[in-house]
Amino acid sequence: MLERYVAQLRNQPLDEELGFSPNLEEAVNVFQPPALTQLCRALGLSRFERYVLLLCAAMELDPIIGRLCAEAQGNEQWTFPTP
């Protein structure tokens, strides 16, 4: 999309030079939902289960989550989602 905008600023032809397809249906067929959405659908996860999965992933990916869990539970030693 950014390439398209820059091409317009430079008065360059859009579709052929930049490799864009003017076919909207083709573009829609290429789109895939995010991996989390695909996983939740494949496993049949409920909204609650999806949030639990996100919390578990957050614990592994972001070191501040442990401190936030402790603060939410009112105990600085409980740096995990459940006491």
Side-chain angles (χ1 to χ4, degrees):
M1 184 169 236
L2 183 57
E3 290 94 351
R4 183 176 290 266
Y5 177 74
V6 171
Q8 287 176 340
L9 289 177
R10 295 179 180 168
N11 294 320
Q12 294 176 344
L14 298 177
D15 295 330
E16 292 77 28
E17 278 190 30
L18 298 175
F20 291 113
S21 171
N23 185 348
L24 183 58
E25 288 180 23
E26 182 181 313
V28 170
N29 290 334
V30 172
F31 172 76
Q32 290 188 10
L36 177 64
T37 302
Q38 292 181 34
L39 179 64
C40 290
R41 286 180 185 162
L43 299 175
L45 299 182
S46 68
R47 177 183 260 173
F48 174 76
E49 292 166 329
R50 179 183 175 132
Y51 289 149
V52 170
L53 177 62
L54 286 171
L55 181 57
C56 292
M59 288 293 298
E60 297 299 321
L61 298 173
D62 190 349
I64 197 170
I65 299 298
R67 287 182 283 171
L68 293 174
C69 288
E71 188 174 331
Q73 297 178 86
N75 185 331
E76 64 184 36
Q77 295 180 349
W78 290 350
T79 58
F80 37 87
T82 59

